């Protein structure tokens, strides 16, 4: 599949990478749309570094269609159209325990440290699926 991977600051490559498949608890989404926002541009230029781990496939504002679900996933099914909340809370810190996952102290973010939606397919990790980060349209 084709993906836009940021290798280093100002080094964005569109390249052919292996298409992932859904493992236990994961969901594979065929990306239908992904916006590029100012944050993506700041990440590329090295102006935004919090939570960013390179190399990474950019894209934290994604929507698409579920094409595969891993073992144990019963909330989603192939064919579901979904939108993604990119934050992956740890569900253990003070903020998460008080229903404030948006300010999780240890969150990971799709498109920052987890491969995102600037690709033909996006693998949604089990932690994200468990947190209810996919919304069926």
């Amino acid at each position: 599949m084709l993906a836009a991977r940021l290798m280093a600051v100002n080094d964005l490559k569109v390249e052919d990478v292996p298409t992932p498949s859904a493992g236990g608890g994961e969901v594979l989404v065929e990306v239908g749309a992904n916006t590029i926002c100012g944050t993506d541009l700041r990440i590329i230029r090295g102006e935004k570094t919090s939570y960013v781990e390179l190399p990474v496939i950019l894209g934290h504002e994604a929507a698409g269609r579920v094409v595969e679900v891993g073992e144990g996933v019963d909330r989603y099914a192939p064919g579901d159209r979904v939108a993604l909340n990119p934050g992956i809370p740890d569900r253990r810190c003070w903020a998460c325990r008080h229903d404030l996952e948006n300010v999780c102290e240890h969150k990971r973010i799709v498109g920052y440290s987890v491969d995102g939606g600037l690709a033909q397919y996006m693998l949604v990790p089990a932690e994200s699926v468990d947190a209810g980060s996919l919304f069926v349209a």
Side-chain angles (χ1 to χ4, degrees), residues 1 3 10-11 17 23 25 28 31 35 37 52 61 63 65-67 71 96 102-104 107 109 112 115 124 133:
M1 72 173 182
N10 291 320
D11 185 12
V17 299
L28 183 64
V31 177
T35 63
C37 75
V52 177
E61 297 175 352
R65 183 178 57 85
V66 173
V67 293
E71 185 177 335
C96 287
N102 62 312
V103 291
C104 173
K107 69 182 167 191
I109 303 174
Y112 287 43
D115 286 338
V124 181
S133 296

Side-chain angles (χ1 to χ4, degrees), residues 65-85:
R65 183 178 57 85
V66 173
V67 293
E68 183 184 2
V69 297
E71 185 177 335
V73 174
D74 55 13
R75 183 185 289 182
Y76 308 101
D80 286 348
R81 294 192 303 176
V82 294
L84 173 76
N85 172 354

